[in-house]
Amino acid sequence: QAGNQVVGVDILPEIKQRDSLLKYYQADLDRGLDSVIEQIDNRKFNKVLLQDVLEHLRNPEVILRDCAKVLKPNGQVVVSVPNIANITVRLSLLFGNFEYTDRGILDKTHLRFFTQKTARRMLEECGYEIQHSMMSIVPIELIVGISAHNFWMRAITNILNILTKLFPTLLGYQCIFVASPKGARPNKKS
């Protein structure tokens, strides 16, 4: 919709929004991007989005290192991972519970868990320099089933946003990073 040319990579043989992609490649991300790199013929990208991906991989470091190979000199990787240190998980653990769920931080398909600190360290150890990081707020409207446009829900969301900025590691829902390979010239517009 914004006029970007998007190339998709996933393990799924077919995807729902195929028409919105310039190209789609099927690949097992746990094995990295080698098969895709061969197919794209050394094409380089401005951005690589790894949103809600790394927690599903046994070795997310492999994909992070491979992504650096397909970035332009000023390219960036955008990563989001759930924050296992969120207060909801901490309280569950305090009461002796560690129950997987159908979605969210403890989604039963998650193989790896991250705090803001461990996600940052992993990115840095994989050769990235972080330009920007933030914590998202808990999507309370999804939990309670009330429209995000509801007056009270907007008020609660605004309060939660302020509290999350004050206590990011405690209340943050997802850790979000924008990073470039070390030594790259990051794009300041992002």
Side-chain angles (χ1 to χ4, degrees), residues 1-182:
Q1 291 176 345
N4 295 311
Q5 293 183 341
V6 180
V7 173
V9 180
D10 202 342
I11 197 164
L12 302 172
E14 285 297 321
I15 57 170
K16 293 179 185 174
Q17 298 175 342
R18 178 72 169 94
D19 295 342
S20 62
L21 300 177
L22 180 66
K23 283 282 207 180
Y24 175 74
Y25 299 97
Q26 183 182 10
D28 180 353
L29 297 180
D30 249 330
R31 294 189 173 151
L33 291 176
D34 284 342
S35 65
V36 175
I37 291 171
E38 290 174 12
Q39 294 178 63
I40 61 174
D41 200 28
N42 292 321
R43 184 174 180 177
K44 302 290 182 178
F45 298 89
N46 293 318
K47 299 244 188 290
V48 172
L49 307 178
L50 294 171
Q51 298 168 313
D52 303 320
V53 171
L54 300 179
E55 64 272 18
H56 297 276
L57 304 177
R58 288 185 301 271
N59 296 302
E61 299 85 359
V62 172
I63 196 86
L64 283 170
R65 288 187 182 102
D66 283 354
C67 285
K69 298 174 190 173
V70 299
L71 285 172
K72 288 183 178 178
N74 62 344
Q76 297 173 316
V77 65
V78 180
V79 172
S80 67
V81 292
N83 175 27
I84 193 68
N86 180 274
I87 191 169
T88 59
V89 177
R90 291 182 192 204
L91 288 173
S92 291
L93 288 171
L94 182 66
F95 292 104
N97 296 316
F98 188 88
E99 300 294 327
Y100 287 98
T101 58
D102 290 330
R103 61 190 285 181
I105 296 170
L106 292 176
D107 182 305
K108 57 187 160 194
T109 64
H110 291 177
L111 301 176
R112 296 283 299 266
F113 298 97
F114 301 95
T115 64
Q116 184 181 41
K117 185 177 180 177
T118 61
R120 175 180 290 276
R121 183 173 55 233
M122 178 180 62
L123 280 163
E124 291 171 345
E125 287 175 355
C126 287
Y128 288 91
E129 192 172 330
I130 296 166
Q131 273 81 54
H132 178 70
S133 68
M134 64 173 282
M135 299 294 270
S136 72
I137 66 170
V138 173
I140 197 82
E141 69 278 359
L142 295 177
I143 295 168
V144 297
I146 297 175
S147 169
H149 302 291
N150 174 286
F151 171 80
W152 293 109
M153 192 51 54
R154 283 194 324 254
I156 291 168
T157 299
N158 287 335
I159 292 167
L160 188 55
N161 195 26
I162 292 166
L163 290 173
T164 301
K165 286 182 179 171
L166 291 172
F167 306 102
T169 56
L170 180 65
L171 298 177
Y173 184 68
Q174 284 188 307
C175 311
I176 302 168
F177 300 92
V178 177
S180 295
K182 288 182 181 147

